[in-house]
Amino acid sequence: MKRRAFSAVLLSSMFILSACGKENMKMPVSGESAEGIQAPLINTDGDEIGKVALSEGKGGVTIHVEAQKLSPGEHGFHIHEKGECTPPNFESAGGHFNPTKREHGFDNPKGFHLGDLPNIDVEEDGTINAVVTNIDVTLQQGKENSILDEDGSAIVVHEKADDYKTDPAGNAGDRIACAVLKK
């Protein structure tokens, strides 16, 4: 009897341990399919330098950006309120996505915008392959926090790092890349 109980515990432990290290493996938990969109990322000359892909799951909206030809270092990275990216300055994207009417920045006591995202770090060779999740927005149309409203939204990369506190854009500098998010 002790041997059978020991075997069951050992088998259970082996199953649990075999699951460890497989964080990237996702098990389906429902019949729901995640919504998703992809968009080209363009620079101030209007040239495509990468892509942005968004998908929504139970943990929020995951934003995956892959690009090249960016300046190395940290860059501000935000969701902007309008789905328009007119070079060279991308002012057409409007301000940050902010349906809650707060101030900018994770470190701002009056903040943050729902479109505020963590800085991204571009490699020395000018490439980026980063994944960020935002739990405060949705891709589901018709909701107040949807980034896919009538005019869509945009992902914008800024020239400098976001300081996470200065309103309205974290002193992140000029807009250097943009992707239109629309259904």
Side-chain angles (χ1 to χ4, degrees):
M1 185 69 166
K2 283 185 181 179
R3 185 174 217 191
R4 193 173 285 152
F6 177 75
S7 295
V9 170
L10 182 61
L11 186 58
S12 295
S13 297
M14 287 172 48
F15 178 75
I16 291 168
L17 288 173
S18 70
C20 293
K22 295 186 179 182
E23 299 82 28
N24 296 328
M25 202 167 150
K26 296 186 179 175
M27 298 295 285
V29 290
S30 74
E32 272 183 52
S33 63
E35 291 191 39
I37 56 173
Q38 284 194 16
L41 184 70
I42 62 170
N43 65 15
T44 56
D45 293 325
D47 298 328
E48 188 173 328
I49 59 166
K51 65 181 177 179
V52 176
L54 288 83
S55 62
E56 185 165 11
K58 290 189 183 284
V61 173
T62 299
I63 304 164
H64 182 192
V65 59
E66 284 185 68
Q68 58 279 335
K69 299 179 183 173
L70 291 168
S71 59
E74 273 193 302
H75 294 271
F77 184 58
H78 307 111
I79 302 169
H80 283 247
E81 64 186 339
K82 296 179 186 170
E84 193 172 325
C85 292
T86 305
N89 60 17
F90 306 120
E91 293 296 323
S92 57
H96 292 179
F97 180 69
N98 187 20
T100 56
K101 309 292 184 233
R102 292 178 157 184
E103 289 189 14
H104 171 79
F106 299 123
D107 295 336
N108 183 333
K110 296 179 183 177
F112 53 90
H113 299 150
L114 296 188
D116 291 350
L117 299 170
N119 289 326
I120 55 173
D121 195 19
V122 175
E123 301 291 333
E124 286 298 317
D125 66 359
T127 62
I128 181 81
N129 186 350
V131 177
V132 173
T133 300
N134 185 324
I135 63 171
D136 297 308
V137 298
T138 185
L139 299 179
Q140 297 174 31
Q141 292 177 308
K143 296 196 175 197
E144 182 184 6
N145 64 334
S146 176
I147 58 176
L148 296 179
D149 58 9
E150 296 98 34
D151 64 353
S153 298
I155 292 288
V156 174
V157 179
H158 291 262
E159 71 174 325
K160 300 186 294 188
D162 183 333
D163 67 14
Y164 298 139
K165 62 186 173 209
T166 306
D167 195 51
N171 282 331
D174 291 339
R175 301 168 186 198
I176 61 170
C178 189
V180 172
L181 306 176
K182 288 188 178 183
K183 263 297 188 186

